Amino acid sequence: MDIGVVLQNDPPASKVVELARKAEAAGFSHVWTFDSHVLWQEPFVIYSKILDETRKITVGPMVTNPGTRDWTVTASLFATLNEMYGNRTICGIGRGDSALRVLGAQPQTLGQLREAVQVIKALGNGGKVTLRGRELQFAWAPESRLEVWVAAYGPKALALTGEVGDGYILQLADPDIAAWMIGAVRRAAERAGRDPMAIKFCVAAPAYVGDDLAHQREQTRWFGGMVGNHVADIVARYGADGTVPQVLTDYIKGREGYDYAEHGRAGNTHTTFVPDEVVDRFCVLGPVESHLKRLHELRDLGVDQFAVYLQHDNKEETLAAYGSQIIPAMT
């Protein structure tokens, strides 16, 4: 199992680059960042610096979206980085949440997401696309190689992932929910005539190594609120009738709005509705042994990568513990 890390692009950018260097030295395979250019700094600028100061690690957004950049611009950013530093980029993409909502816009449709995945993947791999009636290709990037992994929760988005994605990103670490989601993606891939076992699976969630469980919960409760935004969209569309696992729909009943100014931050005051049980299920908390137990469960389900959300007050210590004890045991 690969172990990646997810960072916020908080200033100073030099600190993000420093954490990326430490992650590579510790054996992490990927550095992902949020892509929400109003709330945080622009990620692709920082990726260039990370790639320049590392040698092996793969970088990319968790996740970008089809709405804030033209799809050809997104593909060109990846292809340019690949030409400069070797094929060390990856594209995580979804419909869009914070990046679009803070602009007063709504997440993109699944149709737009599907087409964006196809365009970005084709151009990022040196291929041709027809867009707006024109045939396009990056003649300058024939050797670029780019995987596009789709983040999804709802049934139609999961089906789309199985049909067109190279990988699937699930942003929570509950093994029961992961098994359900992975099964849905694989069934969709099989229906589409694809090899369901060729799709890669990434589970991403806050991980905090330590013994003070109560403190760890308070530092990571924000994550349940972030996931709740996506679940609320699913419930609004499909209802809470078992279309997705009940644990997802049950806990958001006490949700009362959301302030994107506190998005993805410890101490978010709009996530008090998230119970301890959900924090424990969605995140990976406790001593090293608890992390290893959860990661073994996820690996047994077919998860290829666990990505550590590092948005809490124990960044350096958790990074070091993963490097010295957890990564050697899982890779």
Side-chain angles (χ1 to χ4, degrees), residues 65-83:
N65 68 84
T68 53
R69 301 180 188 88
D70 185 272
W71 308 335
T72 62
V73 172
T74 299
S76 183
L77 287 165
F78 285 111
T80 300
L81 292 173
N82 284 342
E83 189 279 325

Side-chain angles (χ1 to χ4, degrees), residues 13-312:
S14 59
K15 181 62 176 179
V16 181
V17 176
E18 178 188 346
L19 285 171
R21 288 199 307 266
K22 289 181 177 180
E24 179 174 78
F28 286 78
S29 61
H30 292 68
V31 170
W32 306 84
T33 75
F34 287 20
D35 179 9
S36 192
H37 62 284
V38 173
L39 298 178
W40 300 287
Q41 293 178 315
E42 166 59 36
F44 284 91
V45 178
I46 297 174
Y47 296 156
S48 187
K49 186 65 171 174
I50 291 173
L51 288 166
D52 190 56
E53 297 198 12
T54 58
R55 293 296 172 263
K56 297 185 297 182
I57 210 154
T58 298
V59 304
M62 187 178 285
V63 292
T64 192
N65 68 84
T68 53
R69 301 180 188 88
D70 185 272
W71 308 335
T72 62
V73 172
T74 299
S76 183
L77 287 165
F78 285 111
T80 300
L81 292 173
N82 284 342
E83 189 279 325
M84 292 174 69
Y85 299 107
N87 292 316
R88 294 169 54 202
T89 67
I90 188 167
C91 178
I93 190 168
R95 291 175 56 227
D97 180 42
S98 62
L100 292 173
R101 294 189 195 273
V102 296
L103 300 175
Q106 291 299 306
Q108 298 279 279
T109 68
L110 290 176
Q112 290 168 318
L113 176 59
R114 178 187 296 275
E115 190 175 0
V117 169
Q118 294 169 324
V119 167
I120 293 167
K121 184 159 65 169
L123 292 175
N125 285 284
K128 296 179 180 179
V129 299
T130 299
L131 185 64
R132 305 181 191 100
R134 293 180 179 270
E135 187 175 86
L136 305 174
Q137 184 178 27
F138 298 153
W140 46 268
E143 304 302 321
S144 176
R145 296 296 177 263
L146 177 69
E147 291 188 353
V148 180
W149 294 19
V150 182
Y153 294 102
K156 291 183 179 179
L158 293 169
L160 180 156
T161 303
E163 291 161 4
V164 301
D166 295 308
Y168 168 54
I169 297 170
L170 172 61
Q171 295 178 85
L172 56 84
D174 182 292
D176 293 335
I177 296 174
W180 191 94
M181 299 288 189
I182 288 170
V185 171
R186 283 183 171 156
R187 287 190 297 273
E190 191 168 20
R191 288 193 301 268
R194 304 180 71 199
D195 178 1
M197 304 309 293
I199 298 175
K200 297 176 182 177
F201 293 94
C202 173
V203 163
Y208 191 129
V209 177
D211 296 317
D212 188 345
L213 188 57
H215 178 72
Q216 292 175 45
R217 286 170 175 158
E218 292 312 309
Q219 284 288 302
T220 57
R221 198 176 304 276
W222 64 267
F223 184 67
M226 186 185 82
V227 173
N229 292 334
H230 301 287
V231 177
D233 284 345
I234 294 169
V235 171
R237 180 179 295 267
Y238 300 105
D241 60 357
T243 301
V244 296
Q246 190 171 348
V247 65
L248 280 176
T249 56
D250 279 354
Y251 90 95
I252 67 162
K253 291 177 181 176
R255 180 177 180 270
E256 296 179 355
Y258 191 80
D259 183 357
Y260 280 91
E262 297 183 327
H263 185 65
R265 298 190 184 280
N268 188 328
T269 58
H270 294 262
T271 60
T272 55
F273 70 92
V274 182
D276 287 350
E277 177 192 4
V278 167
V279 178
D280 293 347
R281 293 181 69 166
F282 285 12
C283 304
V284 184
L285 310 176
V288 166
E289 294 75 17
S290 297
H291 290 247
L292 289 172
K293 180 177 183 294
R294 181 73 65 86
L295 296 192
H296 279 293
E297 290 181 89
L298 293 170
R299 185 171 66 180
D300 290 345
L301 294 174
V303 173
D304 299 285
Q305 180 183 159
F306 175 65
V308 176
Y309 270 92
L310 209 61
Q311 286 86 40
H312 50 62

Side-chain angles (χ1 to χ4, degrees), residues 3 22 26 28 207-210 286-289 291-292 295 308 310 312 314-330:
I3 307 293
K22 289 181 177 180
F28 286 78
Y208 191 129
V209 177
V288 166
E289 294 75 17
H291 290 247
L292 289 172
L295 296 192
V308 176
L310 209 61
H312 50 62
N314 196 50
K315 294 180 178 65
E316 301 278 357
E317 294 85 351
T318 294
L319 202 68
Y322 264 75
S324 63
Q325 298 179 72
I326 296 172
I327 290 175
M330 297 302 301

